[in-house]
């Protein structure tokens, strides 16, 4: 069976059943489980399924992503690492000496700081993931306070918004739970992270949204921006009918 035919079969079976385990897919298609896992990574990158622990879930049964359905940061840390790292390299390439930048929470930007090494810049963030990876040669770091969310590993709420108001940025680097290409909206799973993103966009000269291909068909509970509000939407994969501000990165 050719690889493309196998991908189609996996997508069809997942849509028919709602969920199919890696073990069952391997037996049905007579290939190894590592092959199925690689196929599922490719299908999720294309936005055709959702990878979950032990198998694949249909996007047709996902519904709307809410806080209770969203994975914790620890569960997302090692997912799509290569794709996220490529997004981080691109974000860092935009930053010049003496720039002031906002780095959003989430695992998308987990590896951005090594690419900013040696640049004389100022970084503002509410992300504990960024704080944990900060080193002296990454410039100056300003940490927004507020109510700490263990689920999201970031500071949120009215105090975070009030402190954020003190800054201005050349760039706001943002992530999200998903986007809707039909409605041209960017989403979060709940309100508090959405409010921080909106405030950062107000304070930035340019705002960039960074998403992997799997997020291009995910509707979240809260809409925080129109897609045309971003100066660039940076992604590792995209299908047809994308906005003009999409920047699709080639694999290196």
């Amino acid at each position: 069976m050719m690889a493309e035919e196998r991908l189609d079969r996996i997508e069809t079976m997942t849509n028919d059943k709602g969920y199919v385990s890696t073990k069952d897919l391997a037996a049905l298609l007579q290939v190894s489980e590592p092959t199925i896992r690689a196929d599922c990574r490719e299908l999720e990158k294309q936005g055709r399924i959702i990878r979950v622990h032990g198998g694949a879930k249909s996007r047709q049964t996902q519904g709307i992503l809410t806080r209770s359905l969203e994975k914790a940061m620890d569960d997302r840390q090692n997912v799509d690492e290569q794709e996220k790292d490529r997004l981080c390299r691109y974000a860092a390439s935009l930053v010049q000496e003496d720039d002031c930048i906002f780095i959003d929470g989430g695992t998308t930007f987990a590896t951005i700081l090594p690419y900013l090494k040696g640049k004389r810049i100022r970084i503002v963030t509410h992300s504990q993931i960024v704080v944990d990876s900060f080193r002296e040669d990454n410039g100056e770091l300003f940490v927004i306070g507020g109510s700490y969310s263990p689920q999201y590993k970031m500071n949120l709420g009215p105090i975070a918004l009030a402190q954020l108001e003190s800054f201005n940025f050349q760039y706001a680097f943002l992530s999200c739970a998903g986007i809707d290409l039909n409605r041209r909206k960017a989403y979060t799973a709940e309100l508090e992270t959405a409010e921080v993103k909106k405030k950062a966009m107000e304070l930035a000269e340019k705002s960039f949204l960074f998403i992997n291909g799997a997020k291009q068909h995910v509707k979240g509970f809260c809409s925080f921006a129109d897609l045309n509000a971003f100066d660039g939407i940076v992604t590792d994969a995209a299908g047809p009918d994308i906005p003009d501000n999409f920047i699709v990165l080639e694999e290196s």
Side-chain angles (χ1 to χ4, degrees), residues 62-67 70 177-180 183 185-190 217-223:
Q62 184 188 18
I64 296 173
L65 185 65
T66 61
R67 184 170 191 154
E70 198 165 34
I179 65 172
D180 186 335
R183 295 186 62 199
K185 296 288 186 181
Y187 297 104
T188 62
E190 42 60 59
H217 305 278
V218 177
K219 292 182 181 179
F221 179 61
C222 299
S223 168

Side-chain angles (χ1 to χ4, degrees), residues 1-42:
M1 184 183 297
M2 301 295 289
E4 192 57 44
E5 182 184 357
R6 196 169 61 243
L7 295 181
D8 290 341
R9 289 279 302 278
I10 293 171
E11 181 182 18
T12 298
M13 286 187 285
T14 304
N15 287 339
D16 287 345
K17 296 178 179 293
Y19 168 84
V20 186
S21 71
T22 301
K23 183 177 180 180
D24 287 347
L25 286 169
L28 289 166
L29 299 177
Q30 298 183 328
V31 294
S32 68
E33 291 188 27
T35 297
I36 293 297
R37 284 192 285 270
D39 287 344
C40 288
R41 281 194 295 272
E42 178 59 26

Side-chain angles (χ1 to χ4, degrees), residues 43-251:
L43 284 166
E44 185 175 56
K45 183 176 178 180
Q46 295 178 20
R48 295 164 63 182
I49 64 162
I50 302 166
R51 280 190 301 145
V52 295
H53 182 70
K57 177 182 173 184
S58 171
R59 283 201 172 278
Q60 297 177 3
T61 60
Q62 184 188 18
I64 296 173
L65 185 65
T66 61
R67 184 170 191 154
S68 62
L69 294 175
E70 198 165 34
K71 293 179 181 178
M73 289 295 166
D74 288 339
D75 295 328
R76 292 189 244 166
Q77 194 77 48
N78 299 319
V79 176
D80 298 324
E81 289 180 288
Q82 292 183 342
E83 292 87 346
K84 292 174 182 175
D85 191 67
R86 193 153 67 246
L87 298 178
C88 286
R89 287 201 306 270
Y90 182 85
S93 73
L94 299 174
V95 180
Q96 304 297 316
E97 290 287 322
D98 294 316
D99 277 354
C100 303
I101 64 173
F102 175 79
I103 300 178
D104 200 7
T107 59
T108 298
F109 301 111
T111 64
I112 190 173
L113 289 188
Y115 296 113
L116 295 170
K117 182 177 179 180
K119 290 187 177 182
R120 188 176 62 248
I121 59 174
R122 293 172 178 84
I123 301 166
V124 179
T125 191
H126 63 144
S127 169
Q128 188 62 44
I129 293 173
V130 173
V131 173
D132 289 344
S133 62
F134 181 77
R135 301 292 180 269
E136 289 185 10
D137 55 8
N138 291 137
E140 293 183 77
L141 179 66
F142 299 83
V143 183
I144 298 299
S147 176
Y148 181 69
S149 168
Q151 179 180 359
Y152 293 119
K153 291 193 173 181
M154 62 184 80
N155 297 323
L156 301 167
I159 294 174
L161 293 174
Q163 292 187 1
L164 189 57
E165 188 78 56
S166 301
F167 300 96
N168 292 290
F169 315 107
Q170 269 84 19
Y171 294 103
F173 295 147
L174 305 168
S175 61
C176 69
I179 65 172
D180 186 335
L181 290 172
N182 293 322
R183 295 186 62 199
R184 296 297 202 256
K185 296 288 186 181
Y187 297 104
T188 62
E190 42 60 59
L191 186 60
E192 286 186 303
T193 59
E195 292 301 316
V196 173
K197 296 175 199 297
K198 287 193 287 188
K199 179 58 67 176
M201 292 178 72
E202 291 175 13
L203 300 169
E205 294 179 0
K206 293 186 177 182
S207 298
F208 283 79
L209 182 66
F210 292 80
I211 57 170
N212 58 28
K215 291 184 176 182
Q216 290 177 28
H217 305 278
V218 177
K219 292 182 181 179
F221 179 61
C222 299
S223 168
F224 72 92
D226 292 329
L227 296 186
N228 61 10
F230 297 100
D231 294 276
I233 300 171
V234 187
T235 185
D236 61 310
D241 194 30
I242 59 174
D244 292 338
N245 57 349
F246 258 58
I247 301 167
V248 183
L249 304 182
E250 299 291 335
E251 287 194 30

